[in-house]
Amino acid sequence: MTKILDGKACAANMRSQLQAKIDAQLADGKRRPGLAVILVGEDPASAIYVRNKHRACEKAGIKSMQYLLPSDATESQLIDLIDTLNEDPEIDGMIIQLPLPAGMDVVKIQERVRSDKDVDGFCAEQAGLLFRNRPCLESCTPKGIISLLDANGIEIEGQHAVVVGRSDIVGKPLSILLLNRGATVSICHSKTPDLAAITRQADILCVATGKRHLISAEHIKPGAVVVDVGIHRDDSGKLAGDVNYEDVVDLCSWITPVPGGVGPMTIASLLENTWLAYCDHLGINEA
Ligand code: NAD
């Protein structure tokens, strides 16, 4: 019978472990870890993501500070804010909620975040460390997926993992993490001919395309582990993923639901990265 990769429960467990570690530091007279979240504009979905991150921080004992800029803020105003937060000793991690207003240079802005505070793991230095399989602040969604597989005892080494999507924030770093863990990795994308011929070889299939219900039964090898990163909301407010859940669920050994799969794990990884940055800043030896 198919088993559910319950990201919500796994994230809650990670949060309470983190809270215990933070409480121990507070008892030792240390300050709380601090996360700065910058939101530019009034995109409603972004506002929900920011609120969810704020609540998760509060539950884990991380001080979350929100910085809201109007949608007509200039790139230089945003850069000035990032520079100020880079120098703020109370702030261990900083994220800039995407998407940014049209016309802003997203890569330039992300690179402005000091690498030791880049808890999204987007900057070239963190990405380079990941590439070299060195300790780093790993990109949150891929890191959360690996944690979810590990928490459920799913073997990665020696498995054929197929990643559909090659974005800088999900597909590419996820492929590298899986490779670093000893999987044989195939990466598919929008130019891949006969996608199903490749996905049907996957022991572990991870899908991050932003295309609702792209993956159906014809794409699945029986017994595969299926991880769905996509999130889509229809007109009635119902959420769905890049995988047609109903169509594939009986074929898989494990599958992530949408919602309640990868989403909560992304936030849990953000908290973990903030903790790692805090340990780095305070000289705490976190093995
Ligand atoms: P993106 O648009 O940057 O990249 C999409 C990738 O999918 C591209 O590499 C493209 O080549 C590939 N692709 C598109 N159409 C394809 C097709 N028909 N066949 C094969 N490959 C195809 O997207 P992203 O930022 O990686 O996000 C992907 C999805 O994941 C989105 O729905 C996004 O909302 C969601 N997301 C969820 C979380 C989470 O925490 N759950 C985090 C990040 C992104």
Side-chain angles (χ1 to χ4, degrees):
M1 213 180 91
T2 310
K3 294 185 213 149
I4 305 301
L5 287 164
D6 186 345
K8 202 171 166 194
C10 185
N13 193 25
M14 285 166 65
R15 261 195 324 266
S16 58
Q17 287 178 19
L18 202 51
Q19 187 178 23
K21 291 196 276 190
I22 292 170
D23 283 348
Q25 296 305 322
L26 297 178
D28 206 27
K30 306 260 184 16
R31 64 169 173 83
R32 284 187 189 281
L35 174 69
V37 181
I38 302 175
L39 175 62
V40 187
E42 284 102 35
D43 177 50
S46 295
I48 293 171
Y49 293 138
V50 167
R51 196 181 63 210
N52 290 344
K53 287 169 188 172
H54 179 72
R55 285 185 183 154
C57 278
E58 283 190 330
K59 283 185 194 162
I62 292 172
K63 187 171 163 193
S64 141
M65 287 147 284
Q66 293 176 43
Y67 297 85
L68 309 177
L69 293 182
S71 49
D72 60 356
T74 62
E75 196 170 290
S76 71
Q77 283 172 317
L78 177 53
I79 297 249
D80 284 348
L81 175 60
I82 294 170
D83 287 348
T84 303
L85 299 173
N86 275 338
E87 296 309 316
D88 187 333
E90 301 273 302
I91 286 173
D92 299 294
M94 186 192 325
I95 60 168
I96 299 137
Q97 184 66 44
L98 299 180
L100 286 169
M104 286 205 181
D105 183 339
V106 179
V107 174
K108 178 180 159 196
I109 287 163
Q110 288 174 335
E111 288 293 335
R112 195 77 181 198
V113 176
R114 224 171 64 190
S115 68
D116 58 291
K117 297 193 176 193
D118 177 21
V119 285
D120 261 334
F122 289 162
C123 72
E125 186 175 332
Q126 297 297 347
L129 288 166
L130 178 70
F131 187 84
R132 301 289 288 266
N133 199 8
R134 301 264 309 278
C136 63
L137 298 171
E138 295 166 356
S139 192
C140 295
T141 300
K143 177 181 171 126
I145 291 169
I146 300 292
S147 300
L148 189 57
L149 297 177
D150 284 345
N152 288 280
I154 293 168
E155 186 74 35
I156 298 175
E157 188 175 302
Q159 303 296 298
H160 185 185
V162 175
V163 178
V164 188
R166 56 173 166 177
S167 69
D168 287 351
I169 64 168
V170 187
K172 274 189 217 164
L174 177 59
S175 305
I176 294 172
L177 278 176
L178 289 162
L179 191 61
N180 289 347
R181 289 288 297 270
T184 300
V185 181
S186 301
I187 307 171
C188 303
H189 47 78
S190 54
K191 304 281 185 283
T192 301
D194 199 356
L195 180 66
I198 300 170
T199 59
R200 271 200 306 268
Q201 298 172 34
D203 302 309
I204 302 173
L205 176 63
C206 303
V207 190
T209 63
K211 298 279 177 287
R212 183 179 180 273
H213 288 184
L214 176 71
I215 300 296
S216 52
E218 59 157 336
H219 296 87
I220 307 289
K221 171 164 108 175
V225 175
V226 175
V227 176
D228 188 356
V229 181
I231 316 173
H232 310 270
R233 191 180 292 274
D234 69 16
D235 291 342
S236 66
K238 193 166 179 282
L239 292 175
D242 291 355
V243 176
N244 186 336
Y245 185 92
E246 300 302 334
D247 201 42
V248 310
V249 64
D250 291 334
L251 281 172
C252 315
S253 56
W254 293 87
I255 187 167
T256 55
V258 178
V262 173
M265 294 303 294
T266 298
I267 299 183
S269 300
L270 176 67
L271 304 182
E272 275 198 342
N273 278 350
T274 304
W275 163 254
L276 290 175
Y278 167 82
C279 291
D280 175 34
H281 294 148
L282 268 61
I284 298 164
N285 188 7
E286 167 65 9

